[in-house]
């Protein structure tokens, strides 16, 4: 039995310990905010927080999430929108929107450890998250805004 | 999930399956569910419902039905903006509902960049109809002349007295009136527009940033199974033997099922294969890995990209089928002098939307309800109906948000898979394609070889221009063994080259298809614009001329080009020549705008810095692009700026126009720099983002600025036209910066990164 916390709630899981966290979140819990994009950690659509750090849920087996605190996009702004989400709305970042929960979780994790990222820091931190619609320019602007506190 | 709560409360009768309200749940406020229509659309059940596109309730809520698919272009904002404007509705009281597939809405095929073009008038008409009915209801109530009343921000106002009545309180009375004829309607004048041409926040954006937006991948319902399908690795292949014992032993796997092979031509039919059905996606994927299948490849097992490339190029060097001819190019070439030849090549490309294709279907008693991430719910209905041998009226197709489409999700083979499997399983089945499936079983963008030849006079102007393109055509998806491009494909940047040339011939050579060929964002324009705009730049340099000046001279005087008069079979994207002429003045105008905003000519190119220009009309929209590039000694590119100028006629949603062009520059970067799909032994070699890379944040243009020419010409396309000019503009910039001409994409195969 694997115990973990999802968005602040205690959960226990008794299935295949090799099953990636992504499918537990999506298929078992119905938390479909984290997306399936590649299944191999290449695109970042499945990004969630594990103890505050960004991880790829599609390559994180349940056994490695044991005892961890997981936050998904559903939990990120549950009380009040996160400044990154506010900036995303202000800059109208999403096009199709599919990769955006992952982008937002990645950006929020970046600002947690690096509140004033340079453009290079942003490129570095966000280069694992693909957006096929090509919203990168707005992602950068939104992160910069959130970092400057303009989007609060 | 709210849907489970709803169904547990027994809210839904047997006529409406649990999942039928998946979309309804997302969009509708909870109390509205009880009296929503069978399709779950509140608009249909609203008190005032004079058009399939809207409903108005007594509480004043306006339900606007979007019948086109949202995949990022913002159509669920843009079409409702038009209707709400003409209705004089308060945008805050508008709820957008997604239509299922139904002929009553008109075309729902969301490709070809024509949603606004085709539905600007119907949306206005729906809004104006409801407004007039509300005005008439108010006038009757007050005993005043209809002409003294007007709609104003969700109210009818009696202008002389200042009396007002809200749309909600008038809805019931308006609903008792006859629906006015189109001739009776009074449309707002452009200076009265409240939303059209203004900044309106994207309707779905708040849901997208909180994870609440529901995509096809997110659809769930009680009792469903998740399926993953092992398909024949070669198009038209068949299994010789299947051993599913190990797959069935995986915990969570419920069963396997066979999807029969298609009957040629493949069109939108399921490819066939062996499916594993399980309690969750992970179990289905694990089970699928344990299938033991031996395949018989069939004739397409010969497909090998390197050899095929040589065949395309050889064909392009020989005379082909003439698709446009002016004067006599051969006579000119026979004169000798300065003859320039060049060959260009663009490989197969995959759509690779971030959401792999996905659909859920539930077969019950001869009827199917599907939930699909689809660009074409009516084609989905037809494909499912044909696959199961039922009438298409017995297929309901709900449309979710699409996690990208780019043309792939116009082809509903995966919806057919879900329906076939649900019928066998007796339960709702969601077919989840992996990224590997999505890339290997795509309807690929055609690989293309182009051969160009020109003769220059002493001033450097071409006296003759010959262009040949060879590619496996989209036609082959619908007609077995078709080898020539259709008029639509040839009309995308080939027969419609807008240059003023005394001797000009365009040709097309034959190429057999060995994989499924489909349309991808801007389609044949991609390879045609690459050849034409690269060659124009090459000739400019050969002539010792500035590429901008040379391009403007190639286009020549301002005129409307009548291709039909030249004997060209030209479809003009379905636009009439009267409404949508090929107008060189508009093309030159965007070129000048883009060049001006880029500061063209102010800095001397070379030493690893340069600018390139390309202009291209597609989907009836005129686009010019200037790309600025920096190239270091290792061939590493940086694209500091991209300047677009766009004339798409009347612009409804300028914010989404800008975002589509920003995105087109990134899509164009992927095409130019990174994308290549190849086949070996008939199998697609690439499988995921490690070997089919697409542009990431650090590779994308740093800043793309978009200048939108908003005029009163009829609206034209937005989603696609930004892509074609980008790759040649980038390659032209690289030439300016380095002196190196790249004629084959992707750039990553030619020393650039």
């Amino acid at each position: 039995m694997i115990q973990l916390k999802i968005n602040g709630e205690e959960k226990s899981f008794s299935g295949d310990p090799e099953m990636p966290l992504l499918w537990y979140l999506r298929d078992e819990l119905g938390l479909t905010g984290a997306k399936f994009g590649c299944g191999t950690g290449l695109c970042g659509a499945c990004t969630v927080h594990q103890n505050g750090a960004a991880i790829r849920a599609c390559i994180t087996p349940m056994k490695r999430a044991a005892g961890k605190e997981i936050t998904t996009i559903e939990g990120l702004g549950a009380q009040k929108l996160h400044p990154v989400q506010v900036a995303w709305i202000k800059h109208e970042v999403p096009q199709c929107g599919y990769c955006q929960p992952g982008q937002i979780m990645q950006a929020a994790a970046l600002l947690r450890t690096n509140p004033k990222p340079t453009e290079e820091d942003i490129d570095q931190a966000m280069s694992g998250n693909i957006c096929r619609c090509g919203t990168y320019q707005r992602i950068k602007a939104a992160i910069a805004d959130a970092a400057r506190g303009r989007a609060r | 999930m709210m849907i489970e709560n709803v169904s547990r409360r027994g809210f839904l009768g047997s006529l409406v399956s649990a999942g039928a309200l998946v979309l309804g749940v997302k969009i509708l406020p909870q109390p509205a569910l009880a009296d929503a229509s069978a399709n779950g659309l509140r608009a249909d059940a609203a008190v005032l419902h004079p058009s399939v596109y809207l409903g108005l309730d007594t509480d004043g809520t306006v339900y606007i039905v979007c019948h086109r698919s949202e995949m990022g272009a913002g159509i669920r904002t843009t079409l409702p903006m038009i209707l709400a404007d003409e209705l004089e509705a308060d945008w805050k009281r508008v709820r957008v509902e997604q239509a299922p597939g139904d002929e009553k809405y008109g075309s729902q095929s969301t490709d070809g960049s024509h949603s606004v073009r085709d539905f600007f008038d119907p949306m206005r008409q729906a809004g104006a109809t409801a407004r007039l009915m509300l005005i008439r209801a108010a006038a009757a109530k007050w005993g005043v002349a209809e002409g003294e009343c007007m709609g104003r921000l969700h109210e009818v106002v009696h202008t002389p007295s200042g009396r007002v009545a809200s749309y909600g309180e008038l809805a019931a009375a308006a609903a008792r009136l006859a629906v006015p004829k189109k001739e009776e309607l009074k449309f707002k004048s452009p200076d009265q527009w409240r939303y059209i041409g203004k900044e309106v926040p994207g309707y779905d954006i708040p849901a997208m940033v909180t994870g609440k937006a529901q995509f096809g991948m997110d659809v769930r319902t009680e009792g469903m199974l998740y399926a993953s399908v092992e398909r024949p690795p070669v198009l038209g292949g068949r299994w010789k033997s299947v051993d599913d014992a190990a797959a069935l032993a995986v915990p969570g796997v419920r069963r396997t099922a066979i999807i029969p092979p298609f009957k040629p031509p493949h069109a939108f039919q399921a490819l066939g294969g062996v499916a594993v059905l399980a309690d969750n996606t992970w179990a289905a994927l694990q089970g699928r890995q344990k299938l033991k299948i031996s395949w018989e490849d069939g004739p397409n097992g010969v497909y090998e990209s390197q050899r095929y490339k040589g065949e395309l190029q050889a064909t392009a060097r020989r005379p082909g089928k003439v698709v446009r001819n002016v004067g006599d190019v051969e006579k000119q070439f026979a004169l000798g002098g300065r003859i320039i030849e060049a060959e260009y090549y663009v490989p197969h490309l995959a759509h690779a939307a971030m959401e792999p294709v996905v659909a859920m279907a539930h077969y019950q008693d001869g009827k199917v309800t599907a939930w699909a991430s689809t660009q074409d719910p009516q084609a989905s209905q037809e494909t499912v109906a044909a696959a199961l041998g039922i009438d298409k009226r017995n297929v309901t197709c709900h449309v979710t948000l699409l996690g990208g489409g780019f043309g792939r999700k116009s082809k509903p083979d995966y919806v057919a898979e879900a329906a076939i499997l649900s019928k066998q399983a007796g339960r709702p089945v969601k077919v989840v394609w992996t990224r590997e499936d999505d890339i290997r079983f795509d309807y690929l963008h055609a690989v293309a070889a182009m051969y160009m030849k020109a003769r220059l006079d002493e001033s450097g102007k071409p006296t003759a221009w010959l262009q040949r393109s060879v590619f496996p055509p989209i036609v082959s998806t619908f007609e077995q063994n078709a080898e020539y491009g259709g008029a639509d494909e040839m009309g995308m940047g080939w027969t419609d080259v807008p240059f003023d040339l005394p001797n000009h011939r365009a040709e097309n050579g034959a190429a057999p298809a060995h994989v499924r060929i489909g349309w991808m964002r801007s389609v044949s324009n991609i390879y045609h614009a690459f050849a034409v705009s690269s060659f124009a730049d090459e000739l400019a340099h050969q002539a010792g001329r500035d590429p901008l000046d040379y391009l403007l001279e190639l286009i020549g005087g301002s005129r409307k080009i009548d291709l039909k008069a030249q004997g060209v079979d030209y479809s003009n994207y379905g636009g009439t020549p009267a409404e949508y002429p090929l107008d060189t003045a508009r093309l030159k105008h965007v070129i000048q705008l883009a060049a001006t905003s880029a500061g063209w000519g102010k800095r001397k190119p070379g030493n690893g810095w340069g600018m390139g220009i390309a202009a291209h009309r597609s989907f009836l929209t005129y686009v010019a692009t200037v790309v600025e590039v920096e190239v270091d000694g290792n061939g590493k590119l940086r694209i500091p700026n991209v300047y677009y100028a766009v004339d798409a006629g009347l612009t409804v949603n300028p914010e989404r126009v800008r975002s589509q062009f920003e995105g087109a520059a990134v899509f164009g970067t992927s095409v130019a720099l990174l994308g290549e799909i190849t086949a070996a032994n008939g199998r697609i070699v690439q499988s995921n983002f490690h070997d089919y890379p697409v542009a990431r944040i650090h590779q994308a243009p740093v800043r793309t600025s978009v200048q939108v020419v908003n005029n009163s010409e009829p609206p034209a396309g937005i989603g696609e036209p930004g892509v074609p000019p980008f790759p040649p503009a980038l390659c032209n910039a690289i030439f300016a910066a380095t002196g190196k001409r790249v004629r084959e994409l992707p750039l990553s195969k030619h020393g650039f990164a």
Side-chain angles (χ1 to χ4, degrees), chain A residues 16 19-20 23 26-28 30 35 37-38 40 42 85 92 94-96 98 127 130 132-133 136-138, chain B residues 71-72 202 208-209 215 217-218 220 281-282 350-351 354 404 435 655-656 659-660 662-663 688 695-696 704:
Chain A
D16 180 359
M19 178 160 92
W23 301 117
R26 292 180 53 83
D27 295 352
E28 308 279 317
K35 300 299 190 225
C38 69
T40 51
L42 290 166
Q85 290 170 307
E92 302 211 50
Q95 289 186 26
C96 85
Y98 191 79
S127 64
I130 297 175
R132 184 69 160 142
C133 298
Y136 298 128
Q137 171 172 333
R138 295 187 189 212
Chain B
M71 51 191 156
M208 286 171 175
V209 305
F215 297 86
M217 192 62 81
D218 303 333
R220 303 166 76 236
T281 314
W282 176 246
H351 300 76
M354 291 314 296
R435 174 58 54 196
E655 196 287 323
R656 286 292 100 171
S659 61
Q660 281 302 291
E662 290 164 15
N688 208 319
R696 293 175 182 271
T704 297

Side-chain angles (χ1 to χ4, degrees), chain B residues 133-440:
Chain B
M133 292 171 81
L134 292 161
I135 286 171
R136 284 178 175 172
K141 178 181 165 181
W142 295 326
V144 301
E146 169 187 321
E148 293 178 350
C149 301
M150 62 184 284
R152 194 179 66 198
L153 206 61
H154 241 80
E155 290 176 336
V156 175
V157 182
H158 179 236
T159 319
S161 68
R163 260 183 299 189
V164 299
S166 75
Y167 278 4
E169 67 187 89
L170 293 167
R176 287 191 290 272
L177 303 173
V179 176
K181 293 188 183 68
K182 192 180 177 185
E183 302 77 61
E184 299 174 67
L185 303 178
K186 289 192 188 68
F187 293 97
K188 289 166 71 174
S189 59
D191 61 308
Q192 296 171 321
W193 283 340
R194 192 180 281 285
Y195 307 120
I196 296 170
K198 309 287 194 319
E199 304 287 315
V200 173
Y203 186 80
D204 293 304
I205 285 179
M208 286 171 175
V209 305
T210 50
K212 294 190 180 90
Q214 197 168 28
F215 297 86
M217 192 62 81
D218 303 333
V219 173
R220 303 166 76 236
T221 193
E222 278 177 29
M224 69 183 285
L225 292 175
Y226 296 79
S228 185
V229 182
E230 189 70 17
R231 299 172 187 84
V234 175
L235 180 65
R238 289 164 186 251
W239 59 90
K240 287 188 289 194
S241 65
V242 179
D243 175 358
D244 62 2
L248 289 168
V250 171
V253 169
R254 295 288 173 150
R255 60 169 292 167
T256 59
I258 296 284
I259 301 177
F262 64 82
K263 294 182 185 67
H266 51 80
F268 299 152
Q269 297 173 79
L271 279 170
V274 183
V276 175
L277 289 74
D279 292 337
N280 58 54
T281 314
W282 176 246
L285 294 174
Q286 295 302 105
R288 177 181 166 191
Q289 280 186 8
K290 300 231 156 59
L291 287 171
K292 292 189 190 77
I293 308 173
S294 66
W295 298 102
E296 190 175 288
D297 290 344
N300 289 320
V302 300
Y303 194 40
E304 200 278 312
S305 285
Q306 195 56 37
R307 188 173 65 231
Y308 191 79
K309 176 183 177 182
E311 289 165 6
L312 288 185
Q313 289 174 327
T315 305
R317 288 174 201 133
R318 294 192 298 267
K321 183 172 123 183
V322 177
V323 290
R324 182 182 176 189
N325 189 52
V326 177
D328 188 342
V329 292
E330 295 304 340
K331 213 166 166 180
Q332 284 293 313
F333 293 142
L335 295 175
R338 289 175 77 187
I339 308 270
I340 318 290
E341 292 171 282
E343 295 183 2
Y344 301 91
Y345 179 78
V346 181
H348 277 304
L349 298 167
H351 300 76
M354 291 314 296
E355 177 195 43
V357 296
V358 60
M360 184 164 81
H362 192 189
Y363 175 91
Q364 277 177 304
D365 307 325
K367 295 186 176 182
V368 172
T369 305
W371 299 261
S373 181
T374 176
Q375 292 175 240
D376 196 341
Q378 291 178 30
S380 299
Q381 290 176 287
E382 287 158 13
T383 303
V384 166
L388 299 189
I390 59 177
D391 191 288
K392 71 175 177 183
R393 282 169 301 191
N394 290 327
V395 180
T396 302
C397 183
H398 297 283
V399 180
T400 65
L401 290 174
L402 280 63
F406 311 117
R408 171 60 180 94
K409 292 173 185 168
S410 296
K411 296 103 176 165
D413 54 330
Y414 53 101
V415 191
E417 288 182 340
I420 290 165
L421 294 174
S422 175
K423 186 176 179 185
Q424 293 186 49
R427 293 167 69 169
V429 172
K430 180 159 85 174
V431 173
V432 178
W433 285 43
T434 62
R435 174 58 54 196
E436 288 80 5
D437 295 335
D438 189 77
I439 288 178
R440 288 187 175 142

